[in-house]
Amino acid sequence: MTEPKKLFIKTYGCQMNVYDSERMAEALAGSGEGQGYVTTDRPDDADMILLNTCHIREKAAEKVYSELGRFKGLKAARPDLKIGVAGCVAQAEGEEIMRRQPLVDLVVGPQSYHRLPELEAKARGGEKALDTDFPEEDKFEKLKSRPKAPRGPTAFLTVQEGCDKFCAFCVVPYTRGAEVSRPADRILAEARDLVERGVREITLLGQNVNAYHGAGPGGDMTLAKLIWALDKIDGLERIRFTTSHPNDMTDDLIAAHGECEKLMPYLHLPVQAGSDRILKRMNRSHTAESYLRLVERIRAARPDILMSGDFIVGFPEETEEDFQATLDLVERVRYGYAYSFKYSPRPGTPAAERPQVDPAEADERLQRLQALITRDQRAIQDEMVGREVSVLFEKPGRLDGQMVGKSEYLHAVHVQDANARIGEIARVRIVSSGANSLAGERV
Ligand code: SAH
Ligand code: SF4
Ligand code: F3S
């Protein structure tokens, strides 16, 4: 028997890429005609290196080229090594990648991953292989994983992909294409399979996950209906979803946060800015006030829900006054987590053509925003001390007999308990709050 080939995948960007990397590894694991790859976590050992890339900000995209440059030595030493680029940079820059970096053998966009075995064979044969189409066939159906090995207690499950919102700063509608929802029966079958393999918590993924509208038994479903269908799966204990757009937070989804016990009290709801003038220029189609009213309604349904968000500072034409409105909104919402980014002009998006904010000014605003976010994040984490939470154990901690897991609010919690098992959900009283995690004792 010949040794199986080894595949090294490095994943950048959002959770959707994490999910896609798993699917790509499965596609290349081979079903007969393929060579059959096993994954490795050492690039210097690999027969194929795949970078699953992100195009959301310039820094993210440039990282790919510097990473590729580092493989030069490896490729020179082992001419059989194949190097591939997948993900959103592959979609956005396609052939340009092969021109800029001749050591790349294969380029594949997010909609073509089911064609990976053919592309791999082509690359093995010494040809350059490129596929950045938006094909008609159902990639998820073709990528369907074969029943196999047990898994950890948490998993991602993509239910919706692409986006039709065209925020003026964002590349996603171009790299991931139009919004498409998967049929509910396929998602439920995948969820059941995950649960049989040991998964206790599923995070439903989509660039616009709450716009989900896949075909169901009685016509198109909503995300809330899908959550209720998942709720019935025995053994599945926790449901999360990300990322949501404020305009798609429907009444049934808000109600589910109050009524569905498996739905965790955590909601990532990006707002991007607090100034209505800037929101309009961003093409966000909501205002600061409508967002705040929405948060109030969500909190009325589920008072303890932990809110998280995304912000862009230094968007074209943003003034100090606009920025103050963002700080005001953050003060009013009190986020448990928030991610803030300096605006990065992306080729082909409308905002890239507009007058830009002075980068030093934008840096300074970013620091002020991050300080405020960190203050709230820290305070909310500290307020957990003395409370009882439930923790899903995910892995052993650094200390002997220690377990680490996540609370329902997505805080990392360390528990000292030699008998704790991975995959177990325990009631834990929080005793202290550290820099990035909590510590607790089993009750
Ligand atoms: N679909 C999600 C997230 C998309 S990308 C949503 O609708 O919010 C994740 C985050 O990256 C965005 O929320 C935004 O805050 C940030 N982002 C997107 N494009 C950006 C750009 N050009 N510059 C800086 N940050 C950006
Ligand atoms: Fe990008 Fe999200 Fe806006 Fe869609 S809704 S364009 S993914 S920021
Ligand atoms: Fe990045 Fe593509 Fe995700 S651009 S954030 S990897 S959808």
Side-chain angles (χ1 to χ4, degrees):
M1 232 178 82
T2 52
E3 280 266 305
K5 289 199 165 58
K6 294 203 180 103
L7 171 67
F8 172 79
I9 305 187
K10 183 156 179 178
T11 308
Y12 304 83
C14 62
Q15 291 107 325
M16 183 106 22
N17 267 9
V18 176
Y19 177 87
D20 286 346
S21 288
E22 290 171 5
R23 300 292 82 72
M24 285 193 276
E26 286 168 5
L28 288 173
S31 52
E33 78 268 27
Q35 286 291 332
Y37 280 83
V38 295
T39 51
T40 170
D41 44 23
R42 292 185 35 220
D44 44 345
D45 201 50
D47 300 284
M48 164 114 121
I49 294 176
L50 262 184
L51 300 184
N52 192 7
T53 62
C54 174
H55 200 245
I56 202 83
R57 286 168 288 274
E58 191 181 355
K59 260 198 205 132
E62 279 308 312
K63 243 189 241 164
V64 177
Y65 291 101
S66 57
E67 185 78 39
L68 285 170
R70 255 177 273 157
F71 296 140
K72 248 186 205 137
L74 273 183
K75 181 106 173 175
R78 309 223 331 267
D80 275 353
L81 170 66
K82 298 296 167 197
I83 294 181
V85 179
C88 292
V89 177
Q91 189 61 50
E93 300 186 359
E95 285 171 18
E96 170 73 20
I97 299 174
M98 288 186 172
R99 258 197 306 274
R100 253 182 90 172
Q101 188 44 274
L103 57 77
V104 173
D105 303 289
L106 184 158
V107 170
V108 59
Q111 304 311 322
S112 305
Y113 292 155
H114 55 295
R115 295 176 174 169
L116 208 46
E118 298 145 52
L119 295 166
E120 188 271 346
K122 196 170 166 190
R124 272 284 145 231
E127 281 177 76
K128 298 270 178 190
L130 174 107
D131 192 340
T132 51
D133 291 348
F134 286 94
E136 284 294 312
E137 68 257 29
D138 183 347
K139 98 171 160 180
F140 290 105
E141 196 46 18
K142 299 226 157 131
L143 278 172
K144 207 156 52 179
S145 65
R146 294 169 303 284
K148 79 202 114 5
R151 318 197 11 148
T154 64
F156 293 131
L157 204 176
T158 296
V159 302
Q160 175 277 340
E161 201 171 3
C163 183
D164 297 336
K165 297 247 177 347
F166 291 93
C167 298
F169 49 81
C170 185
V171 294
V172 170
Y174 311 96
T175 61
R176 295 279 171 165
E179 199 196 299
V180 183
S181 290
R182 297 177 65 193
D185 57 348
R186 311 248 173 92
I187 294 165
L188 292 168
E190 195 170 322
R192 279 186 219 102
D193 175 59
L194 288 169
V195 170
E196 273 165 29
R197 289 156 62 196
V199 169
R200 294 282 161 272
E201 173 181 304
I202 291 180
T203 303
L204 305 175
L205 298 181
Q207 271 90 16
N208 231 290
V209 72
N210 57 342
Y212 176 80
H213 57 91
D220 276 3
M221 305 265 283
T222 61
L223 184 65
K225 283 186 187 151
L226 183 65
I227 288 167
W228 282 113
L230 288 160
D231 179 71
K232 294 194 184 68
I233 299 178
D234 282 336
L236 177 62
E237 305 296 342
R238 293 176 154 194
I239 303 166
R240 305 181 185 275
F241 60 88
T242 197
T243 294
S244 298
H245 191 286
N247 284 17
D248 295 314
M249 277 313 287
T250 49
D251 291 344
D252 60 348
L253 188 56
I254 295 173
H257 274 288
E259 292 160 6
C260 180
E261 276 184 29
K262 291 185 182 177
L263 186 56
M264 293 293 101
Y266 181 101
L267 181 64
H268 186 57
L269 194 64
V271 61
Q272 313 299 354
S275 147
D276 288 345
R277 193 178 72 88
I278 292 296
L279 286 169
K280 195 155 189 186
R281 297 292 283 149
M282 286 179 164
N283 194 29
R284 283 293 291 185
S285 62
H286 57 76
T287 63
E289 206 47 50
S290 70
Y291 179 86
L292 289 165
R293 272 202 309 274
L294 176 61
V295 172
E296 248 168 54
R297 284 171 57 219
I298 296 162
R299 284 188 168 143
R302 181 77 202 225
D304 63 337
I305 199 161
L306 192 142
M307 297 296 303
S308 85
D310 287 345
F311 292 88
I312 294 178
V313 302
F315 186 76
E317 301 155 34
E318 183 188 71
T319 62
E320 175 60 26
E321 197 187 341
D322 292 317
F323 176 66
Q324 278 298 331
T326 297
L327 295 178
D328 288 349
L329 182 139
V330 170
E331 293 263 7
R332 287 175 70 183
V333 173
R334 243 185 139 232
Y335 289 94
Y337 289 98
Y339 307 87
S340 47
F341 312 99
K342 187 165 96 166
Y343 171 69
S344 170
R346 307 309 290 131
T349 60
E353 313 297 324
R354 300 181 194 159
Q356 304 294 315
V357 170
D358 170 40
E361 182 81 37
D363 279 329
E364 190 264 343
R365 286 179 195 163
L366 183 63
Q367 280 179 25
R368 280 150 72 200
L369 176 60
Q370 284 178 343
L372 181 60
I373 288 168
T374 307
R375 184 200 72 187
D376 286 347
Q377 189 166 314
R378 193 59 214 246
I380 288 170
Q381 196 190 293
D382 292 349
E383 284 161 20
M384 299 305 296
V385 176
R387 280 184 60 181
E388 232 184 72
V389 296
S390 71
V391 177
L392 170 58
F393 292 132
E394 290 177 21
K395 55 178 189 228
R398 251 176 296 153
L399 304 178
D400 219 25
Q402 191 185 52
M403 272 289 194
V404 193
K406 296 277 167 59
S407 77
E408 50 275 67
Y409 308 102
L410 220 50
H411 286 125
V413 182
H414 293 255
V415 177
Q416 202 61 41
D417 178 357
N419 297 321
R421 286 174 297 105
I422 288 173
E424 182 188 357
I425 297 179
R427 292 299 292 170
V428 168
R429 189 184 316 285
I430 302 301
V431 294
S432 67
S433 171
N436 293 307
S437 67
L438 296 163
E441 287 164 357
R442 208 192 255 275
V443 288

